[in-house]
Amino acid sequence: MEPHAQDLWNQAAQRANSAYAQARRRVTIDPITRLEGHGKIDIFLDEQGDVEQAYLQIPELRGFEVFCQGRPAEEMPQITSRICGVCPTAHHMAATKALDDLYRVEPPPAARKIRELVYHAFMLEDHALHVYLLGGPDFIVGPDAPPALRNVLGVAQKVGPEIARSVISMRRRLRDLISHLGGKVIHPVLGLPGGVAKRLDPAKLPEFQQLAQDALDFALFTHQVFHDIVLKNPAYIELITSADYTHRTHYMGLVDEQNHVNFYDGQLRVVTPDGQPYARFDVRQYRDYIAEHVEPWSYVKFCYLKPLGWHGFTEGPTSSIYAVAPLARLNAAEDMATPRAREACREFFNTLGGKPVHHTLANHWARVIEMIQAAERMVALVNDPEITSDQIRRLPTERPTVGIGVVEAPRGTLIHHYETDERGLITRANLIVATQNNAARIAMSVDRAAKALIRKGDVSEGLLNRIEMAFRAYDPCFGCATHAQPGQLPLVLNLYDARKRLIRQIRRP
């Protein structure tokens, strides 16, 4: 072979070998499963087969903040409920509360209680979805079970058809309550500035009282199931408490006046990694405490504590990263707000070594405890005689300017912020969703699990699922989190700049 041809051959062989080696050093989980939205995990290995870095990438991009501009503010509870088909009630309620603030109008007591009843029914049925169908298979069926069994069918086989039917029946009944009061379960039309659109019919009260009691029995039953399947299994306890799924970060959640967990209203409380109070503030002050960081490899923005500044994906007392969601709510509050949930919460902290608990997988247990509080609140609300009052709305009279509302979505703190002109048309909308609040910690969790579990290139289906468990514990909704305006994220700008450079190179003589 001639020297020139030999050189070309050698160069081609080197490129092929390099590409082959690179492919062997990259593991991709695409798509990731049992979550809301879309995503993938890219894991890069070094020459020894250990993990250099793992990235949770969210490739979808949505523009709700942009196309809400110019719309009447009253439409926001209906528009934003379209963000997610799993948690529309959370967006609907946050938007409705933002309208209360926008028009400076306080709903009558009956309206507030109807909202709370609907919201606690939603919290309970949504948590049940994750406990039994999304996160639950990793424990009920087992993290190393075949993929064909790590789903609702595998859970039904493991727990038996009667329990499976009771789960489906309870979720259906709770969603029927939401449909009755909210008009529709997927896209509610209940909330209005200053109240609600429909009163609670006294004739329906006995049915709802029975449902609330059945819901409490179901939540307590779920807690017992978790005890029997997870807490009595030493291997699962070791998995939950392992360093592979542990991060020392700040925690944030809504609390009432007694610093007890509250899903519907209250102030935001933040505690340090050592559990010490860091801040307590009204949601209208959120911009003083929460800022957003952007990375070029994801369309999700990463929230952090603004006074502490962004220091990267780090943990510990000097880090500004915080978490929301069930575990964070229990850590940020001083206690639960209802007696049976309070009892379960104390067992939780006693078992896991005291407060705060930093184990990511403990989110599953915290979620079950929150199911109990949601059911207990339902029982209290349907037995409150004031809830059937026909005084369900106060009409707004103030000129709108700025409105900010907050609720605790199942996945964590959710903030809606609207600004309008004098006609009430949206000029600016900002949504801080739960998965944005958690995004930095989720990225850290995926990276840590990958580095701990993959050694010397040994990659199995079971190991990859255990890496997925790191993000699945947060019950993330990436459809909710990727709402940034196109053209403002570095990823978009980098792709645009790369395209321009390529065109210039092609046109260059």
Side-chain angles (χ1 to χ4, degrees):
M1 185 180 295
E2 294 183 3
H4 179 66
Q6 183 67 54
D7 288 343
L8 292 176
W9 176 272
N10 291 339
Q11 291 174 19
Q14 288 175 359
R15 287 195 297 270
N17 290 335
S18 176
Y20 175 72
Q22 182 66 26
R24 283 181 58 86
R25 296 204 299 268
R26 179 174 180 173
V27 178
T28 300
I29 309 173
D30 187 14
I32 54 178
T33 57
R34 283 183 278 136
L35 76 158
E36 297 87 16
H38 304 281
K40 69 173 183 175
I41 295 174
D42 267 333
I43 304 168
F44 295 91
L45 309 180
D46 60 22
E47 294 181 355
Q48 288 73 43
D50 297 334
V51 175
E52 288 183 345
Q53 192 75 35
Y55 295 94
L56 173 62
Q57 295 180 287
I58 311 304
E60 61 183 343
L61 182 64
R62 312 184 77 190
F64 273 84
E65 288 179 328
V66 178
F67 59 70
C68 286
Q69 295 176 13
R71 308 300 301 181
E74 291 89 336
E75 293 183 357
M76 296 304 286
Q78 280 69 56
I79 292 175
T80 58
S81 69
R82 267 73 178 175
I83 293 174
C84 177
V86 176
C87 50
T89 309
H91 286 291
H92 180 78
M93 203 64 72
T96 300
K97 292 184 65 183
L99 293 186
D100 293 341
D101 188 51
L102 181 72
Y103 290 102
R104 304 294 185 269
V105 56
E106 182 70 23
R112 177 190 170 106
K113 289 169 184 177
I114 290 171
R115 288 184 189 179
E116 283 200 63
L117 176 61
V118 168
Y119 201 70
H120 284 87
F122 158 69
M123 286 288 291
L124 179 52
E125 67 90 9
D126 192 279
H127 274 349
L129 170 69
H130 190 270
V131 167
Y132 285 100
L133 306 184
L134 299 179
D138 291 323
F139 293 95
I140 297 173
V141 181
D144 298 317
L149 294 178
R150 294 197 306 264
N151 52 42
V152 60
L153 298 178
V155 170
Q157 291 179 19
K158 186 69 177 286
V159 302
E162 282 300 320
I163 294 178
R165 278 195 290 268
S166 70
V167 173
I168 294 171
S169 173
M170 179 51 62
R171 291 195 68 240
R172 176 187 57 78
R173 293 173 63 195
L174 290 167
R175 290 167 73 85
D176 285 346
L177 181 151
I178 298 171
S179 294
H180 176 77
L181 291 171
K184 295 182 287 185
V185 68
I186 298 297
H187 303 131
V189 292
L190 171 72
L192 299 170
V196 294
K198 182 178 182 179
R199 69 174 295 200
L200 197 160
D201 184 354
K204 297 286 291 184
L205 198 56
E207 176 186 337
F208 291 158
Q209 288 172 336
Q210 184 60 56
L211 170 59
Q213 186 56 55
D214 292 346
L216 178 56
D217 293 340
F218 172 76
L220 294 172
F221 167 77
T222 301
H223 191 246
Q224 187 60 49
V225 169
F226 192 86
H227 262 268
D228 294 342
I229 294 178
V230 179
L231 301 183
K232 291 183 179 180
N233 187 329
Y236 283 164
I237 294 296
E238 182 179 355
L239 182 67
I240 291 172
T241 57
S242 71
D244 304 350
Y245 300 98
T246 299
H247 292 290
R248 294 179 59 83
T249 64
H250 291 75
Y251 299 95
M252 183 170 72
L254 272 180
V255 295
D256 62 19
E257 293 179 355
Q258 289 76 42
N259 285 334
H260 295 166
V261 171
N262 195 302
F263 303 137
Y264 175 80
D265 205 5
Q267 290 195 318
L268 289 163
R269 188 171 192 253
V270 181
V271 298
T272 68
D274 293 327
Q276 298 302 309
Y278 172 77
R280 179 185 165 113
F281 57 94
D282 186 85
V283 68
R284 291 183 66 87
Q285 301 172 274
Y286 82 93
R287 287 170 292 182
D288 295 332
Y289 292 91
I290 298 173
E292 298 170 282
H293 171 77
V294 175
E295 289 286 337
W297 39 268
S298 178
Y299 283 113
V300 170
K301 294 181 179 180
F302 300 89
C303 291
Y304 63 96
L305 293 172
K306 186 176 180 179
L308 299 179
W310 175 257
H311 303 295
F313 296 93
T314 60
E315 59 183 281
T318 61
S319 171
S320 60
I321 290 173
Y322 64 93
V324 295
L327 175 62
R329 283 190 284 257
L330 269 60
N331 282 333
E334 292 184 0
D335 215 335
M336 304 301 289
T338 58
R340 302 296 289 271
R342 190 174 298 124
E343 180 182 341
C345 184
R346 289 169 183 171
E347 179 197 18
F348 171 87
F349 285 115
N350 289 336
T351 302
L352 296 178
K355 196 172 188 176
V357 168
H358 298 291
H359 310 306
T360 299
L361 296 184
N363 264 299
H364 298 296
W365 190 355
R367 195 168 283 115
V368 175
I369 295 170
E370 289 194 337
M371 288 174 65
I372 298 174
Q373 172 159 318
E376 287 185 289
R377 280 296 297 152
M378 285 183 64
V379 171
L381 287 164
V382 295
N383 286 285
D384 187 326
E386 197 171 35
I387 200 170
T388 56
S389 168
D390 59 1
Q391 302 299 310
I392 58 172
R393 191 182 185 197
R394 291 192 178 101
L395 292 177
T397 58
E398 297 291 326
R399 177 176 292 183
T401 53
V402 178
I404 303 175
V406 62
V407 294
E408 283 293 334
R411 290 145 198 90
T413 308
L414 171 63
I415 299 170
H416 280 220
H417 172 183
Y418 309 141
E419 298 180 12
T420 72
D421 62 17
E422 69 280 358
R423 298 172 298 169
L425 300 182
I426 298 292
T427 58
R428 179 174 182 262
N430 188 38
L431 311 180
I432 304 291
V433 305
T435 301
Q436 281 178 264
N437 287 313
N438 272 331
R441 182 172 164 131
I442 294 174
M444 292 165 56
S445 295
V446 169
D447 183 58
R448 172 161 295 178
K451 288 177 177 176
L453 296 170
I454 296 178
R455 298 289 185 184
K456 301 188 184 303
D458 181 16
V459 181
S460 65
E461 171 62 37
L463 283 182
L464 294 181
N465 182 61
R466 287 173 183 251
I467 294 171
E468 288 192 75
M469 287 172 62
F471 78 77
R472 201 176 287 133
Y474 297 90
D475 190 18
C477 180
F478 296 122
C480 289
T482 55
H483 57 258
Q485 179 177 348
Q488 289 190 346
L489 289 178
L491 179 59
V492 178
L493 294 175
N494 289 344
L495 291 175
Y496 178 68
D497 290 341
R499 179 176 176 272
K500 288 196 297 184
R501 288 195 299 271
L502 179 60
I503 291 173
R504 285 197 298 267
Q505 291 173 2
I506 293 173
R507 291 175 176 173
R508 187 176 298 148

